[in-house]
Amino acid sequence: MNNSEVKKLFGYNLKRLRKQKKISQIELSEKVDLAFTFISDIENGKKWVSPETIEKLSKFLDVEVYQFFLPEDYVFQEDKSIESFANEINESIRKIELRYLGK
């Protein structure tokens, strides 16, 4: 997954989660102190956000940070333990960090 794909996935999930909560882009922008146009650009995969902004978005939307990075077709399997699920997510984030942040 390249940088552009990560931005698009994040934006897609932000929009999906925002709409599930029936929150407009304007309301979200006011609550997390970002410009409305910036929210639109994030949702369209054109802009990236800081870790602090991701945290603000997750708190306001009342979702875990990992939910912004799940592929659209990801299905949580009930037979998996939470620990196993968390390990998968952490490994995916580690790979993204290694690839794009040079860690």
Side-chain angles (χ1 to χ4, degrees):
M1 184 175 282
N2 65 37
N3 192 26
S4 177
E5 291 169 330
V6 172
K7 285 195 282 189
K8 286 179 183 175
L9 176 63
F10 184 90
Y12 170 83
N13 283 320
L14 174 59
K15 185 175 187 174
R16 180 180 57 78
L17 293 165
R18 176 181 61 76
K19 285 187 169 192
Q20 282 178 354
K21 305 279 182 174
K22 297 181 169 83
I23 297 169
S24 71
Q25 286 182 337
I26 292 172
E27 182 182 358
L28 179 60
S29 70
E30 291 170 353
K31 296 295 184 180
V32 296
D33 196 30
L34 296 172
F36 159 74
T37 54
F38 190 63
I39 296 291
S40 178
D41 285 345
I42 296 166
E43 289 185 355
N44 289 309
K46 295 177 183 175
K47 300 279 185 176
W48 189 234
V49 293
S50 68
E52 294 80 15
T53 299
I54 294 172
E55 185 177 0
K56 283 183 188 179
L57 291 167
S58 72
K59 283 183 180 180
F60 179 72
L61 293 172
D62 194 30
V63 298
E64 296 294 328
V65 169
Y66 72 82
Q67 291 179 274
F68 292 115
F69 298 96
L70 291 177
E72 181 179 359
D73 58 351
Y74 188 87
V75 177
F76 184 76
Q77 298 172 3
E78 290 190 29
D79 60 334
K80 284 188 178 182
S81 70
I82 295 297
E83 183 178 338
S84 173
F85 178 67
N87 287 338
E88 284 182 34
I89 296 300
N90 287 332
E91 179 63 20
S92 294
I93 291 171
R94 187 183 71 73
K95 287 178 183 176
I96 291 169
E97 287 175 340
L98 287 172
R99 191 174 207 181
Y100 299 107
L101 302 178
K103 291 187 177 185

